[in-house]
Amino acid sequence: QRIMRIKKAGENVREYLKKLRLKKKMTKQAVADFLGISQNYYTYIENGERQKSLDLAYASKLAELFNVSVDWIAKQEQKVKTK
């Protein structure tokens, strides 16, 4: 039997990614294109439905795109995991 975590309305597991994306005035599609993935897959990542542990390759590219360090992203990921 599978127990699924129920998300509250508007809850975004990786809120930090959404904030960075909006600060740069980027669409999910633009970020997905930069990462070389589909917009749907990026949405899953941003919502925490895929990449439960963010792949280092994605973390590196996101750090480059959003002008933050990989270490900063790693710290944000730790916060996500403890929520």
Side-chain angles (χ1 to χ4, degrees):
Q1 190 175 17
R2 230 172 119 179
I3 299 173
M4 296 176 67
R5 181 173 172 266
I6 299 171
K7 289 172 58 171
K8 296 175 187 154
E11 179 185 11
N12 186 325
V13 175
R14 289 190 171 114
E15 189 69 29
Y16 77 93
L17 285 179
K18 182 178 179 181
K19 287 180 180 177
L20 289 171
R21 178 174 57 77
L22 295 176
K23 185 176 179 181
K24 273 200 106 163
K25 296 181 169 87
M26 294 183 76
T27 63
K28 290 178 184 178
Q29 184 64 60
V31 176
D33 289 346
F34 184 82
L35 295 175
I37 59 177
S38 72
Q39 186 263 325
N40 283 343
Y41 194 73
Y42 177 74
T43 298
Y44 290 141
I45 291 172
E46 196 172 278
N47 291 336
E49 297 169 21
R50 296 284 188 278
Q51 291 285 316
K52 299 295 182 191
S53 293
L54 191 62
D55 185 81
L56 183 57
Y58 291 141
S60 294
K61 288 186 112 178
L62 289 166
E64 177 187 342
L65 177 65
F66 295 128
N67 198 29
V68 297
S69 69
V70 173
D71 186 57
W72 185 86
I73 288 180
K75 287 177 183 171
Q76 301 311 304
E77 285 294 302
Q78 282 301 113
K79 291 177 187 177
V80 166
K81 288 180 183 178
T82 58
K83 282 187 178 179

